Amino acid sequence: MPKKKTTTLFEDSLVELEQLVNQLEQGELSLEDSLKSFERGVNLTRICQKALQGAEQKVQILIEKNGTQTLEPFTDE
């Protein structure tokens, strides 16, 4: 069940980050609200980066075979 929680946290953070960016791009927020949104955006970015790093580590573990990495060609089928 932690897998679902991490995925939901990442997706929810990404959606909120997109909304904040849209609000900031419109330029209708006060300076104080813009700064609060920016700070929240930085925190959301860190949450997303942490989730992506965790996923990358899991992928690295999964592709290791007998202690050595085996890269396989990517086929888009």
Side-chain angles (χ1 to χ4, degrees):
M1 196 105 2
K3 182 179 178 182
K4 177 124 173 115
K5 183 178 178 184
T6 302
T7 302
T8 302
L9 179 62
F10 174 78
E11 292 172 352
D12 291 346
S13 296
L14 193 57
V15 167
E16 186 179 347
L17 184 58
E18 289 173 353
Q19 291 171 350
L20 286 173
V21 169
N22 288 334
Q23 289 175 350
L24 288 167
E25 285 178 340
Q26 290 176 3
E28 296 176 5
L29 296 175
S30 68
L31 178 59
E32 184 178 334
D33 290 338
S34 293
L35 288 172
K36 286 179 183 179
S37 294
F38 180 78
E39 184 178 3
R40 177 69 179 147
V42 169
N43 289 332
L44 290 169
T45 300
R46 289 179 180 151
I47 290 169
C48 290
Q49 286 175 338
K50 185 176 178 181
L52 288 173
Q53 287 172 345
E56 184 179 10
Q57 288 174 345
K58 288 178 184 178
V59 168
Q60 289 295 327
I61 290 168
L62 291 173
I63 63 171
E64 286 184 10
K65 294 182 182 177
N66 297 326
T68 60
Q69 280 189 345
T70 304
L71 298 178
E72 298 177 13
F74 175 76
T75 57
D76 189 21
E77 294 179 1

Coordinates of all heavy atoms in Angstrom, one line a residue:
M1 N 0.8 -1.2 0.0 CA 0.0 0.0 0.0 C 0.8 1.3 0.0 O 0.4 2.3 -0.5 CB -0.9 -0.1 1.2 CG -2.0 0.9 1.1 SD -3.7 0.9 0.8 CE -4.5 -0.5 0.4
P2 N 2.1 1.3 0.5 CA 2.9 2.5 0.4 C 3.1 3.0 -1.0 O 3.3 4.1 -1.3 CB 4.2 2.1 1.1 CG 3.9 1.0 1.9 CD 2.7 0.3 1.3
K3 N 3.1 2.0 -2.0 CA 3.3 2.4 -3.4 C 2.2 3.3 -3.8 O 2.5 4.3 -4.5 CB 3.3 1.1 -4.2 CG 3.6 1.2 -5.6 CD 3.6 -0.1 -6.3 CE 3.8 0.0 -7.8 NZ 3.7 -1.3 -8.4
K4 N 1.0 3.0 -3.5 CA -0.1 3.8 -3.9 C 0.0 5.2 -3.3 O -0.3 6.2 -3.9 CB -1.4 3.1 -3.5 CG -2.6 4.0 -3.9 CD -3.6 3.2 -4.7 CE -4.9 4.0 -4.9 NZ -5.1 4.4 -6.2
K5 N 0.4 5.2 -2.0 CA 0.5 6.5 -1.3 C 1.5 7.4 -2.0 O 1.3 8.6 -2.2 CB 0.8 6.3 0.2 CG 0.9 7.5 1.0 CD 1.2 7.2 2.4 CE 1.3 8.5 3.3 NZ 1.7 8.2 4.6
T6 N 2.7 6.8 -2.3 CA 3.7 7.6 -3.0 C 3.2 8.1 -4.3 O 3.5 9.3 -4.7 CB 5.0 6.8 -3.1 OG1 5.4 6.3 -1.8 CG2 6.1 7.6 -3.8
T7 N 2.6 7.3 -5.1 CA 2.1 7.6 -6.4 C 1.1 8.8 -6.3 O 1.1 9.8 -7.0 CB 1.5 6.4 -7.1 OG1 2.4 5.4 -7.2 CG2 1.0 6.8 -8.5
T8 N 0.1 8.6 -5.3 CA -0.9 9.6 -5.1 C -0.2 10.9 -4.7 O -0.6 12.0 -5.2 CB -1.9 9.2 -4.1 OG1 -2.5 8.0 -4.5 CG2 -3.0 10.2 -3.8
L9 N 0.7 10.9 -3.8 CA 1.4 12.1 -3.3 C 2.1 12.8 -4.5 O 2.0 14.0 -4.6 CB 2.4 11.7 -2.2 CG 3.2 12.9 -1.6 CD1 2.3 13.9 -1.0 CD2 4.3 12.3 -0.7
F10 N 2.8 12.0 -5.3 CA 3.5 12.6 -6.5 C 2.5 13.3 -7.4 O 2.6 14.4 -7.8 CB 4.3 11.5 -7.2 CG 4.9 12.0 -8.5 CD1 6.0 12.8 -8.5 CD2 4.3 11.8 -9.7 CE1 6.6 13.3 -9.6 CE2 4.9 12.2 -10.9 CZ 6.0 13.0 -10.8
E11 N 1.4 12.5 -7.8 CA 0.4 13.0 -8.7 C -0.3 14.3 -8.2 O -0.5 15.2 -8.9 CB -0.5 11.9 -9.1 CG 0.1 10.8 -9.9 CD -0.8 9.6 -10.2 OE1 -1.9 9.6 -9.6 OE2 -0.4 8.8 -10.9
D12 N -0.7 14.2 -6.9 CA -1.4 15.3 -6.3 C -0.5 16.5 -6.2 O -0.9 17.7 -6.5 CB -1.9 15.0 -4.9 CG -3.0 14.0 -4.9 OD1 -3.6 13.7 -5.9 OD2 -3.3 13.4 -3.8
S13 N 0.8 16.3 -5.9 CA 1.8 17.4 -5.8 C 2.0 18.0 -7.2 O 2.1 19.3 -7.3 CB 3.1 16.9 -5.3 OG 3.0 16.5 -3.9
L14 N 2.0 17.2 -8.2 CA 2.2 17.7 -9.6 C 1.1 18.5 -10.0 O 1.2 19.6 -10.6 CB 2.5 16.5 -10.5 CG 3.0 16.8 -11.9 CD1 4.3 17.6 -11.8 CD2 3.2 15.6 -12.7
V15 N -0.2 18.1 -9.7 CA -1.4 18.8 -10.1 C -1.4 20.2 -9.4 O -1.6 21.2 -10.0 CB -2.6 18.0 -9.8 CG1 -3.9 18.9 -9.9 CG2 -2.8 16.8 -10.7
E16 N -1.1 20.2 -8.1 CA -1.1 21.4 -7.4 C 0.0 22.4 -7.9 O -0.2 23.6 -8.0 CB -0.9 21.2 -5.9 CG -1.0 22.4 -5.0 CD -0.8 22.2 -3.5 OE1 -0.8 21.0 -3.1 OE2 -0.6 23.2 -2.8
L17 N 1.2 21.8 -8.2 CA 2.2 22.6 -8.8 C 1.8 23.2 -10.1 O 2.1 24.4 -10.3 CB 3.5 21.7 -9.0 CG 4.8 22.4 -9.4 CD1 5.1 23.6 -8.5 CD2 5.9 21.4 -9.6
E18 N 1.2 22.5 -11.0 CA 0.7 23.0 -12.2 C -0.3 24.2 -12.0 O -0.3 25.2 -12.7 CB 0.0 21.9 -13.1 CG 1.0 20.9 -13.6 CD 0.4 19.7 -14.3 OE1 -0.9 19.6 -14.3 OE2 1.1 18.9 -14.9
Q19 N -1.2 24.0 -11.0 CA -2.2 25.1 -10.7 C -1.5 26.3 -10.2 O -1.8 27.4 -10.6 CB -3.2 24.6 -9.7 CG -4.1 23.5 -10.2 CD -4.9 22.8 -9.1 OE1 -4.7 23.1 -7.9 NE2 -5.9 22.0 -9.5
L20 N -0.4 26.2 -9.4 CA 0.3 27.3 -8.9 C 1.0 28.0 -10.0 O 1.0 29.3 -10.0 CB 1.3 26.9 -7.8 CG 0.8 26.5 -6.4 CD1 1.9 25.9 -5.6 CD2 0.1 27.7 -5.8
V21 N 1.6 27.3 -10.9 CA 2.3 27.9 -12.0 C 1.3 28.7 -12.9 O 1.6 29.8 -13.3 CB 3.0 26.8 -12.9 CG1 3.5 27.4 -14.2 CG2 4.2 26.2 -12.1
N22 N 0.1 28.1 -13.1 CA -0.9 28.8 -13.9 C -1.3 30.1 -13.2 O -1.4 31.2 -13.9 CB -2.1 28.0 -14.1 CG -1.8 26.9 -15.1 OD1 -1.0 27.0 -16.0 ND2 -2.6 25.8 -15.0
Q23 N -1.5 30.1 -11.9 CA -1.9 31.3 -11.2 C -0.8 32.3 -11.2 O -1.0 33.5 -11.4 CB -2.1 31.0 -9.7 CG -3.4 30.2 -9.5 CD -3.6 29.8 -8.0 OE1 -2.6 29.9 -7.2 NE2 -4.7 29.3 -7.7
L24 N 0.5 31.9 -11.1 CA 1.6 32.9 -11.1 C 1.8 33.5 -12.5 O 2.1 34.6 -12.7 CB 2.9 32.2 -10.7 CG 3.0 31.9 -9.2 CD1 4.2 30.9 -8.9 CD2 3.1 33.2 -8.4
E25 N 1.5 32.6 -13.5 CA 1.7 33.1 -14.9 C 0.6 34.2 -15.3 O 0.9 35.0 -16.1 CB 1.6 32.0 -15.9 CG 2.9 31.1 -15.9 CD 2.8 30.0 -16.9 OE1 1.7 29.6 -17.3 OE2 3.9 29.4 -17.3
Q26 N -0.5 34.1 -14.6 CA -1.6 35.1 -14.9 C -1.3 36.4 -14.4 O -1.7 37.4 -14.9 CB -2.9 34.6 -14.3 CG -3.5 33.4 -15.0 CD -4.8 32.8 -14.4 OE1 -5.3 33.4 -13.4 NE2 -5.3 31.8 -14.9
G27 N -0.4 36.5 -13.4 CA 0.1 37.8 -12.8 C -0.9 38.6 -12.1 O -0.8 39.8 -11.9
E28 N -2.0 37.9 -11.6 CA -3.0 38.6 -10.9 C -2.9 38.5 -9.3 O -3.7 39.1 -8.6 CB -4.4 38.2 -11.3 CG -4.6 38.4 -12.8 CD -6.0 37.9 -13.3 OE1 -6.7 37.4 -12.5 OE2 -6.2 38.0 -14.5
L29 N -1.9 37.8 -8.9 CA -1.7 37.7 -7.4 C -1.0 38.9 -6.9 O -0.1 39.5 -7.6 CB -1.0 36.4 -7.1 CG -1.6 35.1 -7.5 CD1 -0.7 33.9 -7.2 CD2 -2.9 34.9 -6.7
S30 N -1.2 39.2 -5.6 CA -0.4 40.2 -4.9 C 1.0 39.7 -4.8 O 1.3 38.5 -4.9 CB -1.0 40.5 -3.6 OG -0.9 39.4 -2.7
L31 N 1.9 40.6 -4.4 CA 3.3 40.2 -4.2 C 3.4 39.1 -3.1 O 4.1 38.1 -3.2 CB 4.2 41.4 -3.9 CG 5.6 41.1 -3.6 CD1 6.3 40.4 -4.8 CD2 6.4 42.4 -3.2
E32 N 2.7 39.4 -2.0 CA 2.7 38.5 -0.9 C 2.1 37.1 -1.2 O 2.7 36.1 -0.9 CB 1.8 39.0 0.3 CG 1.9 38.2 1.5 CD 1.1 38.8 2.7 OE1 1.0 40.0 2.7 OE2 0.7 38.0 3.6
D33 N 1.0 37.1 -2.0 CA 0.5 35.8 -2.4 C 1.4 35.1 -3.4 O 1.5 33.9 -3.4 CB -0.9 36.0 -3.0 CG -2.0 36.4 -2.0 OD1 -1.8 36.1 -0.8 OD2 -3.0 36.9 -2.3
S34 N 2.0 35.9 -4.3 CA 3.0 35.3 -5.2 C 4.1 34.6 -4.5 O 4.5 33.5 -4.9 CB 3.5 36.4 -6.2 OG 2.5 36.9 -7.0
L35 N 4.6 35.3 -3.5 CA 5.7 34.7 -2.7 C 5.3 33.4 -2.0 O 6.1 32.4 -2.0 CB 6.3 35.7 -1.7 CG 7.1 36.9 -2.4 CD1 7.4 37.9 -1.3 CD2 8.3 36.4 -3.0
K36 N 4.1 33.4 -1.4 CA 3.6 32.2 -0.8 C 3.4 31.1 -1.8 O 3.8 29.9 -1.5 CB 2.3 32.5 -0.1 CG 2.4 33.4 1.2 CD 1.0 33.6 1.8 CE 1.2 34.5 3.0 NZ -0.2 34.8 3.6
S37 N 2.9 31.4 -2.9 CA 2.7 30.4 -4.0 C 4.1 29.9 -4.5 O 4.2 28.7 -4.7 CB 2.0 31.0 -5.2 OG 0.6 31.3 -4.8
F38 N 5.0 30.8 -4.6 CA 6.4 30.4 -5.0 C 7.0 29.4 -4.0 O 7.5 28.4 -4.4 CB 7.3 31.6 -5.3 CG 8.6 31.2 -5.7 CD1 8.9 30.8 -7.0 CD2 9.7 31.2 -4.8 CE1 10.2 30.5 -7.4 CE2 11.0 30.9 -5.2 CZ 11.2 30.5 -6.5
E39 N 6.9 29.8 -2.7 CA 7.4 28.9 -1.7 C 6.7 27.6 -1.7 O 7.4 26.5 -1.5 CB 7.2 29.6 -0.3 CG 7.8 28.8 0.8 CD 7.7 29.6 2.2 OE1 7.0 30.6 2.2 OE2 8.2 29.0 3.2
R40 N 5.4 27.5 -1.8 CA 4.7 26.3 -1.9 C 5.2 25.5 -3.1 O 5.3 24.3 -3.0 CB 3.2 26.5 -1.9 CG 2.4 25.3 -2.1 CD 2.4 24.4 -0.8 NE 1.6 23.3 -1.0 CZ 1.8 22.1 -0.5 NH1 2.9 21.9 0.3 NH2 1.0 21.1 -0.7
G41 N 5.4 26.1 -4.2 CA 5.8 25.5 -5.4 C 7.2 24.8 -5.2 O 7.5 23.7 -5.7
V42 N 8.1 25.5 -4.5 CA 9.4 25.0 -4.2 C 9.3 23.7 -3.4 O 9.9 22.7 -3.7 CB 10.3 26.0 -3.5 CG1 11.6 25.4 -3.0 CG2 10.7 27.1 -4.5
N43 N 8.4 23.7 -2.4 CA 8.2 22.6 -1.6 C 7.6 21.4 -2.4 O 8.0 20.2 -2.2 CB 7.3 22.9 -0.4 CG 8.0 23.8 0.6 OD1 9.2 23.7 0.8 ND2 7.2 24.6 1.4
L44 N 6.7 21.7 -3.2 CA 6.0 20.7 -4.1 C 7.1 20.1 -5.0 O 7.1 18.9 -5.3 CB 4.9 21.2 -4.9 CG 3.6 21.6 -4.0 CD1 2.6 22.4 -4.8 CD2 3.0 20.3 -3.5
T45 N 7.9 20.9 -5.6 CA 9.0 20.4 -6.5 C 9.9 19.5 -5.7 O 10.3 18.4 -6.3 CB 9.8 21.6 -7.0 OG1 8.9 22.5 -7.7 CG2 10.9 21.2 -7.9
R46 N 10.2 19.8 -4.5 CA 11.1 18.9 -3.7 C 10.4 17.5 -3.4 O 11.0 16.5 -3.5 CB 11.5 19.6 -2.4 CG 12.5 20.7 -2.6 CD 12.8 21.4 -1.3 NE 13.8 22.4 -1.6 CZ 13.9 23.5 -0.9 NH1 13.1 23.7 0.2 NH2 14.8 24.4 -1.2
I47 N 9.1 17.6 -3.2 CA 8.3 16.3 -3.0 C 8.4 15.5 -4.2 O 8.6 14.3 -4.2 CB 6.9 16.7 -2.5 CG1 6.8 17.3 -1.1 CG2 6.0 15.4 -2.6 CD1 5.5 17.9 -0.7
C48 N 8.2 16.1 -5.4 CA 8.2 15.4 -6.6 C 9.6 14.8 -6.9 O 9.7 13.7 -7.4 CB 7.7 16.3 -7.8 SG 6.0 16.7 -7.7
Q49 N 10.6 15.6 -6.7 CA 12.0 15.1 -6.9 C 12.3 14.0 -6.1 O 12.9 13.0 -6.5 CB 13.0 16.3 -6.7 CG 13.0 17.3 -7.8 CD 13.9 18.5 -7.4 OE1 14.2 18.7 -6.3 NE2 14.3 19.2 -8.5
K50 N 11.9 14.0 -4.8 CA 12.1 12.9 -3.9 C 11.4 11.6 -4.4 O 12.0 10.5 -4.3 CB 11.7 13.3 -2.5 CG 12.0 12.2 -1.4 CD 11.6 12.7 0.0 CE 11.9 11.6 1.0 NZ 11.5 12.0 2.3
A51 N 10.2 11.8 -4.8 CA 9.4 10.6 -5.3 C 10.1 10.0 -6.6 O 10.2 8.8 -6.7 CB 8.0 11.0 -5.6
L52 N 10.6 10.9 -7.5 CA 11.2 10.5 -8.7 C 12.6 9.8 -8.4 O 12.9 8.8 -9.0 CB 11.4 11.6 -9.6 CG 10.2 12.2 -10.3 CD1 10.5 13.4 -11.1 CD2 9.5 11.1 -11.2
Q53 N 13.3 10.3 -7.4 CA 14.5 9.7 -7.0 C 14.3 8.3 -6.4 O 15.0 7.3 -6.7 CB 15.3 10.5 -6.0 CG 15.9 11.8 -6.6 CD 16.5 12.7 -5.5 OE1 16.2 12.6 -4.4 NE2 17.3 13.7 -6.0
G54 N 13.2 8.1 -5.6 CA 12.9 6.8 -5.1 C 12.5 5.9 -6.2 O 12.9 4.7 -6.2
A55 N 11.8 6.3 -7.2 CA 11.4 5.5 -8.3 C 12.7 5.1 -9.1 O 12.8 3.9 -9.5 CB 10.4 6.2 -9.2
E56 N 13.6 6.0 -9.3 CA 14.8 5.7 -10.0 C 15.7 4.7 -9.3 O 16.2 3.8 -9.9 CB 15.6 7.0 -10.2 CG 16.9 6.8 -11.0 CD 17.7 8.1 -11.2 OE1 17.4 9.1 -10.5 OE2 18.6 8.1 -12.0
Q57 N 15.7 4.8 -8.0 CA 16.5 3.8 -7.2 C 15.8 2.4 -7.4 O 16.5 1.4 -7.5 CB 16.5 4.2 -5.7 CG 17.4 5.3 -5.5 CD 17.3 5.8 -4.0 OE1 16.4 5.5 -3.3 NE2 18.3 6.6 -3.6
K58 N 14.5 2.3 -7.4 CA 13.8 1.1 -7.5 C 14.1 0.5 -8.9 O 14.3 -0.7 -9.0 CB 12.3 1.2 -7.3 CG 11.9 1.4 -5.9 CD 10.4 1.6 -5.8 CE 10.1 2.0 -4.4 NZ 8.6 2.2 -4.2
V59 N 14.1 1.3 -9.9 CA 14.4 0.8 -11.3 C 15.9 0.3 -11.3 O 16.1 -0.8 -11.9 CB 14.2 2.0 -12.3 CG1 14.8 1.6 -13.7 CG2 12.8 2.3 -12.4
Q60 N 16.8 1.0 -10.7 CA 18.2 0.6 -10.7 C 18.3 -0.8 -10.1 O 19.0 -1.7 -10.5 CB 19.1 1.6 -10.0 CG 19.3 2.9 -10.7 CD 20.1 2.6 -12.0 OE1 20.9 1.8 -12.2 NE2 19.7 3.4 -13.0
I61 N 17.6 -1.0 -9.0 CA 17.7 -2.3 -8.3 C 17.1 -3.4 -9.2 O 17.6 -4.5 -9.3 CB 16.9 -2.2 -6.9 CG1 17.7 -1.4 -6.0 CG2 16.6 -3.6 -6.4 CD1 16.9 -1.0 -4.7
L62 N 16.0 -3.1 -9.9 CA 15.3 -4.1 -10.7 C 16.1 -4.5 -11.9 O 16.0 -5.6 -12.4 CB 14.0 -3.6 -11.2 CG 12.9 -3.4 -10.0 CD1 11.7 -2.8 -10.6 CD2 12.5 -4.8 -9.5
I63 N 17.0 -3.6 -12.5 CA 17.7 -3.9 -13.7 C 19.1 -4.5 -13.3 O 19.8 -5.0 -14.2 CB 17.9 -2.7 -14.6 CG1 18.8 -1.6 -14.0 CG2 16.6 -2.2 -15.1 CD1 19.2 -0.5 -14.9
E64 N 19.5 -4.6 -12.1 CA 20.7 -5.2 -11.7 C 20.5 -6.7 -11.7 O 19.6 -7.3 -11.2 CB 21.2 -4.8 -10.3 CG 21.7 -3.4 -10.3 CD 22.3 -3.0 -8.9 OE1 22.4 -3.8 -8.0 OE2 22.5 -1.8 -8.8
K65 N 21.5 -7.4 -12.3 CA 21.5 -8.8 -12.4 C 22.9 -9.3 -11.9 O 23.9 -9.0 -12.5 CB 21.2 -9.3 -13.8 CG 19.8 -9.0 -14.3 CD 19.6 -9.6 -15.6 CE 18.2 -9.2 -16.1 NZ 17.9 -9.7 -17.5
N66 N 22.9 -10.2 -10.9 CA 24.1 -10.8 -10.4 C 25.2 -9.7 -10.0 O 26.3 -9.9 -10.2 CB 24.7 -11.7 -11.4 CG 23.8 -12.9 -11.6 OD1 23.1 -13.4 -10.7 ND2 23.8 -13.4 -12.9
G67 N 24.7 -8.6 -9.5 CA 25.6 -7.6 -9.0 C 26.1 -6.6 -10.1 O 26.9 -5.7 -9.9
T68 N 25.7 -6.9 -11.4 CA 26.2 -6.0 -12.4 C 24.9 -5.5 -13.2 O 23.9 -6.2 -13.3 CB 27.1 -6.7 -13.4 OG1 26.4 -7.8 -14.0 CG2 28.3 -7.2 -12.8
Q69 N 25.0 -4.3 -13.7 CA 23.9 -3.8 -14.5 C 23.9 -4.4 -15.9 O 25.0 -4.5 -16.5 CB 24.0 -2.3 -14.6 CG 23.5 -1.5 -13.4 CD 23.5 0.0 -13.7 OE1 24.0 0.5 -14.7 NE2 22.8 0.7 -12.8
T70 N 22.8 -4.7 -16.3 CA 22.6 -5.2 -17.7 C 21.6 -4.2 -18.4 O 20.4 -4.2 -18.0 CB 22.0 -6.6 -17.7 OG1 22.9 -7.5 -16.9 CG2 21.9 -7.1 -19.1
L71 N 22.1 -3.5 -19.3 CA 21.2 -2.6 -20.1 C 20.6 -3.3 -21.2 O 21.4 -4.0 -22.0 CB 22.0 -1.3 -20.5 CG 22.5 -0.5 -19.4 CD1 23.3 0.7 -20.0 CD2 21.4 0.1 -18.5
E72 N 19.4 -3.2 -21.4 CA 18.7 -3.8 -22.5 C 18.1 -2.7 -23.4 O 17.7 -1.7 -22.9 CB 17.6 -4.7 -22.0 CG 18.1 -5.9 -21.1 CD 17.0 -6.7 -20.5 OE1 15.9 -6.6 -21.0 OE2 17.3 -7.5 -19.6
P73 N 18.1 -3.0 -24.7 CA 17.6 -2.0 -25.7 C 16.2 -1.7 -25.4 O 15.4 -2.7 -25.1 CB 17.9 -2.5 -27.0 CG 18.2 -4.0 -26.8 CD 18.6 -4.2 -25.4
F74 N 15.8 -0.5 -25.6 CA 14.4 -0.1 -25.5 C 13.7 -0.3 -26.8 O 14.1 0.2 -27.8 CB 14.2 1.3 -25.0 CG 12.8 1.8 -25.0 CD1 12.0 1.5 -23.9 CD2 12.3 2.6 -26.0 CE1 10.7 1.9 -23.9 CE2 11.0 3.1 -25.9 CZ 10.2 2.7 -24.9
T75 N 12.6 -1.0 -26.8 CA 11.8 -1.2 -28.0 C 10.4 -0.6 -27.7 O 9.8 -0.9 -26.7 CB 11.7 -2.7 -28.4 OG1 11.1 -3.4 -27.3 CG2 13.0 -3.2 -28.8
D76 N 10.0 0.2 -28.6 CA 8.7 0.9 -28.4 C 7.6 0.1 -29.2 O 7.4 0.3 -30.4 CB 8.7 2.3 -28.9 CG 7.5 3.1 -28.6 OD1 6.7 2.7 -27.7 OD2 7.3 4.1 -29.2
E77 N 7.1 -0.9 -28.6 CA 6.1 -1.8 -29.3 C 4.8 -1.7 -28.6 O 4.6 -1.7 -27.4 CB 6.5 -3.2 -29.3 CG 7.8 -3.3 -30.2 CD 8.3 -4.8 -30.3 OE1 7.7 -5.7 -29.7 OE2 9.3 -5.0 -30.9

